[in-house]
Amino acid sequence: MTDATFRHNVDRERFEVLADGHVIGKAAYKAYDDGGSPQRIFYHTVINEEFGGQGLAGRLAEVALDETVSEGLGIVPVCPFIKKFLTKHSKYAANVTAPTLAHLEYLNAALVPAARA
């Protein structure tokens, strides 16, 4: 297994996995707060192909979700990998909110602002 480190890149709204100081994967999210409880909408997780099959995506998901829960934030899984990970790790169940139309509209507006101009 690759000797990897993990970090939360708050400015880029993502958790990263690094090898030799280079980002080789990420779990991207958008912060969401509709006036209720703040949440992170996880929408994309990826590991560079040459690092695949080493369990890094699962470790990255665990780091991201653990920190999210420890910060008192809810988890909104849109990303297929995060959704699948959550089905196998019930310890996060109390912190998961199923994506709603409001979540998806917010995510769409946040990720494609140029399309609205």
Side-chain angles (χ1 to χ4, degrees), residues 2-3 13-15 29 37 59 63 67 69 72 76-77 80 87 93-94 98 100:
T2 299
D3 186 25
E13 289 187 304
R14 67 187 194 186
F15 290 86
Y29 67 86
S37 59
R59 290 175 51 206
V63 167
E67 184 168 323
V69 169
V76 180
T87 66
T100 64

Side-chain angles (χ1 to χ4, degrees), residues 30-51:
K30 290 308 268 179
Y32 180 82
D33 189 350
D34 66 350
S37 59
Q39 303 166 330
R40 284 190 178 130
I41 304 172
F42 286 91
Y43 66 90
H44 184 62
T45 302
V46 65
I47 299 293
N48 291 3
E49 188 175 339
E50 63 270 25
F51 295 96

Side-chain angles (χ1 to χ4, degrees), residues 20-108:
D20 297 323
H22 301 283
V23 175
I24 61 166
K26 64 184 177 182
Y29 67 86
K30 290 308 268 179
Y32 180 82
D33 189 350
D34 66 350
S37 59
Q39 303 166 330
R40 284 190 178 130
I41 304 172
F42 286 91
Y43 66 90
H44 184 62
T45 302
V46 65
I47 299 293
N48 291 3
E49 188 175 339
E50 63 270 25
F51 295 96
Q54 299 180 43
L56 293 172
R59 290 175 51 206
L60 178 60
E62 188 170 27
V63 167
L65 299 176
D66 284 349
E67 184 168 323
T68 297
V69 169
S70 74
E71 291 178 21
L73 303 173
I75 300 164
V76 180
V78 174
C79 166
F81 183 84
I82 296 292
K83 280 184 185 181
K84 186 173 182 178
F85 183 89
L86 288 168
T87 66
K88 297 176 181 181
H89 298 86
S90 60
K91 73 178 188 175
Y92 301 105
N95 304 93
V96 176
T97 299
T100 64
L101 181 58
H103 288 119
L104 299 177
E105 288 174 343
Y106 174 82
L107 190 59
N108 185 53

